Short mmCIF file of all heavy atoms in Angstrom, two decimals:
data_model
loop_
_atom_site.label_atom_id
_atom_site.label_comp_id
_atom_site.label_asym_id
_atom_site.label_seq_id
_atom_site.Cartn_x
_atom_site.Cartn_y
_atom_site.Cartn_z
N GLY A 177 33.48 109.50 108.32
CA GLY A 177 33.26 108.09 108.59
C GLY A 177 32.63 107.80 109.95
O GLY A 177 32.34 106.65 110.27
N THR A 178 32.41 108.82 110.76
CA THR A 178 31.74 108.65 112.04
C THR A 178 30.28 108.34 111.77
O THR A 178 29.65 108.98 110.92
CB THR A 178 31.88 109.91 112.91
OG1 THR A 178 33.27 110.17 113.11
CG2 THR A 178 31.20 109.74 114.24
N LYS A 179 29.73 107.36 112.49
CA LYS A 179 28.33 106.97 112.32
C LYS A 179 27.52 107.34 113.56
O LYS A 179 27.95 107.05 114.68
CB LYS A 179 28.21 105.48 112.05
CG LYS A 179 28.79 105.04 110.74
CD LYS A 179 28.74 103.52 110.64
CE LYS A 179 29.59 103.02 109.50
NZ LYS A 179 31.03 103.31 109.67
N PHE A 180 26.37 107.91 113.33
CA PHE A 180 25.43 108.22 114.40
C PHE A 180 24.24 107.28 114.22
O PHE A 180 23.56 107.32 113.18
CB PHE A 180 24.96 109.67 114.31
CG PHE A 180 26.02 110.66 114.66
CD1 PHE A 180 27.01 110.98 113.75
CD2 PHE A 180 26.03 111.28 115.89
CE1 PHE A 180 28.01 111.89 114.05
CE2 PHE A 180 27.02 112.20 116.21
CZ PHE A 180 28.00 112.51 115.30
N LEU A 181 23.99 106.42 115.21
CA LEU A 181 22.87 105.49 115.16
C LEU A 181 21.81 105.95 116.13
O LEU A 181 22.09 106.16 117.31
CB LEU A 181 23.30 104.08 115.52
CG LEU A 181 24.45 103.46 114.74
CD1 LEU A 181 24.73 102.06 115.25
CD2 LEU A 181 24.14 103.45 113.26
N LEU A 182 20.60 106.11 115.63
CA LEU A 182 19.49 106.56 116.44
C LEU A 182 18.46 105.44 116.51
O LEU A 182 17.96 105.01 115.46
CB LEU A 182 18.88 107.82 115.81
CG LEU A 182 18.15 108.80 116.68
CD1 LEU A 182 19.02 109.27 117.84
CD2 LEU A 182 17.71 110.00 115.85
N LEU A 183 18.17 104.96 117.70
CA LEU A 183 17.17 103.92 117.91
C LEU A 183 15.88 104.59 118.34
O LEU A 183 15.86 105.31 119.34
CB LEU A 183 17.66 102.95 119.00
CG LEU A 183 16.88 101.69 119.23
CD1 LEU A 183 17.00 100.77 118.01
CD2 LEU A 183 17.38 100.96 120.46
N THR A 184 14.81 104.40 117.55
CA THR A 184 13.54 105.09 117.76
C THR A 184 12.38 104.12 117.81
O THR A 184 12.52 102.96 117.47
CB THR A 184 13.27 106.13 116.66
OG1 THR A 184 12.89 105.42 115.46
CG2 THR A 184 14.45 107.02 116.40
N SER A 185 11.23 104.66 118.18
CA SER A 185 10.01 103.87 118.10
C SER A 185 9.67 103.67 116.63
O SER A 185 10.09 104.45 115.77
CB SER A 185 8.86 104.60 118.81
OG SER A 185 8.58 105.83 118.18
N PRO A 186 8.88 102.64 116.31
CA PRO A 186 8.55 102.39 114.89
C PRO A 186 7.73 103.52 114.25
O PRO A 186 7.75 103.69 113.05
CB PRO A 186 7.75 101.09 114.91
CG PRO A 186 7.71 100.60 116.29
CD PRO A 186 8.34 101.62 117.18
N GLN A 187 7.05 104.29 115.07
CA GLN A 187 6.22 105.37 114.54
C GLN A 187 7.04 106.62 114.20
O GLN A 187 6.54 107.50 113.48
CB GLN A 187 5.14 105.78 115.56
CG GLN A 187 4.17 104.69 115.92
CD GLN A 187 4.72 103.70 116.93
OE1 GLN A 187 5.65 104.00 117.67
NE2 GLN A 187 4.14 102.52 116.98
N GLN A 188 8.26 106.70 114.70
CA GLN A 188 9.09 107.89 114.45
C GLN A 188 9.49 107.94 112.99
O GLN A 188 10.06 107.00 112.45
CB GLN A 188 10.34 107.82 115.34
CG GLN A 188 11.17 109.08 115.33
CD GLN A 188 10.49 110.20 116.06
OE1 GLN A 188 10.04 110.04 117.17
NE2 GLN A 188 10.39 111.35 115.42
N SER A 189 9.20 109.04 112.36
CA SER A 189 9.58 109.18 110.95
C SER A 189 10.32 110.51 110.76
O SER A 189 10.31 111.37 111.64
CB SER A 189 8.34 109.16 110.04
OG SER A 189 7.47 110.21 110.39
N ASN A 190 10.99 110.62 109.65
CA ASN A 190 11.76 111.81 109.29
C ASN A 190 12.67 112.28 110.42
O ASN A 190 12.46 113.33 111.01
CB ASN A 190 10.83 112.94 108.83
CG ASN A 190 11.62 114.05 108.17
OD1 ASN A 190 12.74 113.86 107.71
ND2 ASN A 190 11.04 115.23 108.14
N VAL A 191 13.69 111.49 110.67
CA VAL A 191 14.65 111.86 111.72
C VAL A 191 15.78 112.74 111.20
O VAL A 191 16.66 113.11 111.98
CB VAL A 191 15.23 110.61 112.42
CG1 VAL A 191 14.15 109.80 113.09
CG2 VAL A 191 16.04 109.77 111.45
#
Side-chain angles (χ1 to χ4, degrees):
T178 301
K179 292 174 194 65
F180 290 77
L181 305 181
L182 206 56
L183 189 67
T184 73
S185 63
Q187 298 80 20
Q188 189 72 49
S189 61
N190 193 20
V191 298

